[in-house]
Amino acid sequence: MLVDIIVVGAGAAGVVAAGRAAELGASVLLLEKMEKPLRKLRISGKGRGNITNTKPPEEFLQKIYPDASFLRPAFSLFFSAQLVQLLGKIGVRTVEERGGRVFPASQRAWDVAEALTRWARRAGVELLCHAQVASIAQRSDGLFSVTFRHKGATRTAQGKKLLLATGGLAYPATGSTGDGYGWAKKLGHRIAPLRPALTPIEVAGFAKHGFRDLTLRNVKLTATADGRPIGEALGELMFTGFGVSGPIALRLSRSVVDALQAQRKVALMLDWKPALSRQQLQNRLERELQRSEIHSVGALLRKLMPAPFIPFFAEQAALQIRAKVCENDRQRVVDTLKCCTLHAFGYRPFSEAIITAGGVLTDEVDGATMQSKLAKGLYFAGELLDVDADTGGYNLQIAFSTGWLAGSSMAADSPQTTSWE
Ligand SMILES: Cc1cc2nc3c(=O)[nH]c(=O)nc-3n(C[C@H](O)[C@H](O)[C@H](O)COP(=O)(O)OP(=O)(O)OC[C@H]3O[C@@H](n4cnc5c(N)ncnc54)[C@H](O)[C@@H]3O)c2cc1C
């Protein structure tokens, strides 16, 4: 049972790596513990699959942490245009939406998953599902010995090269339970601390309001730690039963999680009307009060925000909803609209996070090949690495690009094709 390449994990990175290496003539065994490959890709982008982004490389790299430059060689080999081209070749048309985000034209991430799986299998990849890898060792002759459970039996395969593409810890129900970190460590690698990222933020006092995913559009959120700004985002925010979620909360969550882990005091300053200055808001309030039959604070607030937010807003501004509007109240309304302070005390766990921050340190991986600098023949790709990005299609492109580069480099010196029986 000897193959050129064993790939552990049939996520976006593993499938692309395996398919590419097989296209180039290597014999590839792809092991996936779940019942089907690409479970996470199938649910990505709320099932629509925001597979990449058309932003130019420099702008793209700005969305990636902590060291985007590690990805330059992978992106120069296989970037968004090459991904779209590959998908087109295998029957998946794509469409570009606002902000350069690319989706399959069918709006079904499932179609991308099925097409990539077909492509990899046709290229010759031997894909085994329900194959849970239990242990990995590098023998003294350099071969990798991989032991896995399959159909109730324990089996062992030997590979000249090994790719770990087991993903991170986010959404473990998709199969990503962080198994690769332990093997990477065993093979000599260091792991940057693992934290949930792109994860909702818990806010003090939200529980009693019982918000049920209420969305505010065009608002601005500024995060501070010990009073110093650590991030700012403009767009859509969701109030949930425990705190805030939605695009701008997720975007800020990376710095919020780090600040909370460092025991810093984190506040989120919400500007409900970022397009209006204080003076403009003041004028608008005056106009509302003159024009209409507004007598109570509650009636005034109804002109400014959707009704379900009013009790919360009134509490933040220390206003009585039924009271008559007085001069002092107007000032409080303006102040709270421009700066409503939410105290972040926690964040949601990996089970609700979109991505894992931290992972296999990129200093110890050759960015030109994805090969380990410490163990010859060992490769890494995807979320397992210490790179993560904002929402917008960047994370999947990282998985596809690092997978493609790993597959290409592993196959480059694997001329012999042995087949898996
Ligand atoms: C809800 C959600 C929505 C998302 N939406 C988007 C989006 O729209 N756009 C975007 O760019 N990114 C999105 N992401 C992030 C993106 O899906 C991931 O970054 C990407 O899928 C990572 O790919 P990967 O191949 O590195 O890892 P994974 O997709 O996690 O694949 C790892 C695979 O390894 C397998 N595995 C693990 N351990 C073993 C083992 N012991 N033996 C065998 N197999 C094993 C797992 O079962 C899994 O199939 C989303 C993530 C989530 C959770």
Side-chain angles (χ1 to χ4, degrees):
M1 288 185 197
L2 173 68
V3 288
D4 292 329
I5 296 164
I6 299 175
V7 177
V8 185
V15 169
V16 164
R20 180 60 184 153
E23 264 190 347
L24 295 174
S27 59
V28 184
L29 173 65
L30 172 56
L31 300 171
E32 169 54 51
K33 72 175 173 191
M34 302 301 277
E35 76 293 354
K36 57 166 88 73
L38 295 156
R39 280 279 303 264
K40 192 171 275 181
L41 171 64
R42 289 170 202 267
I43 59 157
S44 69
K46 299 198 173 109
R48 294 172 62 226
N50 178 194
I51 48 173
T52 187
N53 196 294
T54 57
K55 292 221 163 50
E58 289 311 315
E59 228 178 296
F60 202 111
L61 290 168
Q62 281 169 20
K63 310 285 182 187
I64 298 171
Y65 316 93
D67 175 21
S69 63
F70 170 76
L71 294 168
R72 279 181 194 277
F75 285 169
S76 49
L77 183 69
F78 188 82
F79 198 43
S80 49
Q82 286 75 24
L83 174 67
V84 166
Q85 205 178 358
L86 170 69
L87 290 176
K89 203 177 81 183
I90 63 176
V92 180
R93 277 196 314 112
T94 54
V95 287
E96 186 179 330
E97 295 188 6
R98 193 171 37 84
R101 294 171 308 146
V102 178
F103 294 84
S106 66
Q107 304 287 308
R108 281 167 42 102
W110 192 275
D111 296 344
V112 179
E114 291 292 298
L116 283 173
T117 307
R118 264 195 314 274
W119 163 75
R121 279 201 161 116
R122 276 193 195 137
V125 172
E126 193 70 40
L127 165 63
L128 290 190
C129 291
H130 290 298
Q132 168 139 14
V133 173
S135 70
I136 283 172
Q138 189 166 24
R139 304 185 336 188
S140 52
D141 59 3
L143 288 184
F144 290 91
S145 186
V146 175
T147 304
F148 58 98
R149 294 283 301 167
H150 185 237
K151 294 187 177 158
T154 300
R155 302 172 72 176
T156 301
Q158 324 288 340
K160 295 177 189 165
K161 309 239 167 82
L162 173 73
L163 171 66
L164 292 182
T166 45
L169 282 164
Y171 264 64
T174 60
S176 324
T177 46
D179 302 12
Y181 301 119
W183 299 322
K185 252 194 208 164
K186 199 178 139 204
L187 293 163
H189 282 265
R190 286 175 303 148
I191 312 293
L194 305 168
R195 301 93 75 200
L198 298 180
T199 197
I201 302 167
E202 294 169 335
V203 174
F206 260 47
K208 68 170 185 244
H209 288 281
F211 292 117
R212 289 207 194 147
D213 297 356
L214 292 177
T215 297
L216 277 173
R217 291 181 214 290
N218 303 320
V219 295
K220 186 168 104 178
L221 201 60
T222 306
T224 62
D226 295 335
R228 294 215 182 88
I230 54 168
E232 184 182 288
L234 201 78
E236 207 172 287
L237 181 71
M238 195 192 280
F239 278 30
T240 72
F242 54 79
V244 287
S245 186
I248 64 173
L250 296 183
R251 210 170 306 147
L252 293 179
S253 67
R254 193 179 201 282
S255 8
V256 167
V257 168
D258 285 350
L260 286 170
Q261 288 203 347
Q263 312 287 327
R264 297 171 76 192
K265 222 171 158 187
V266 179
L268 301 172
M269 256 71 85
L270 170 60
D271 182 345
W272 299 66
K273 306 279 175 195
L276 299 178
S277 67
R278 275 172 185 277
Q279 190 55 56
Q280 286 168 319
L281 261 178
Q282 200 97 34
N283 297 344
R284 175 160 168 208
L285 250 58
E286 294 302 332
R287 280 200 307 275
E288 293 290 358
L289 287 166
Q290 281 163 14
R291 195 189 299 153
S292 43
E293 297 289 297
I294 291 177
H295 301 299
S296 70
V297 168
L300 175 63
L301 294 182
R302 267 196 290 282
K303 296 278 174 200
L304 297 165
M305 64 191 62
F309 291 102
I310 291 175
F312 167 79
F313 186 90
E315 186 185 282
Q316 293 286 311
L319 292 165
Q320 297 297 324
I321 291 178
R322 289 196 178 81
K324 265 187 77 179
V325 186
C326 67
E327 179 59 41
N328 206 11
D329 293 342
R330 285 180 222 176
Q331 199 48 51
R332 284 213 199 117
V333 171
V334 172
D335 289 347
T336 313
L337 280 173
K338 288 309 284 177
C339 184
C340 178
T341 305
L342 314 175
H343 296 285
F345 70 88
Y347 48 85
R348 302 306 271 181
F350 279 112
S351 55
E352 293 173 43
I354 288 181
I355 196 89
T356 309
V360 173
L361 279 179
T362 53
D363 293 0
E364 297 174 350
V365 178
D366 178 2
T369 58
M370 293 293 139
Q371 185 169 196
S372 159
K373 290 181 184 170
L374 312 176
K376 193 163 181 289
L378 172 67
Y379 291 72
F380 299 99
E383 197 174 323
L384 180 67
L385 288 160
D386 181 22
V387 274
D388 60 281
D390 287 344
T391 55
Y394 309 104
N395 284 299
L396 274 169
Q397 184 65 53
I398 293 174
F400 291 132
S401 295
T402 53
W404 186 273
L405 174 56
S408 311
S409 5
M410 287 189 295
D413 52 350
S414 296
Q416 195 190 336
T417 312
T418 333
S419 74
W420 163 264
E421 47 82 47

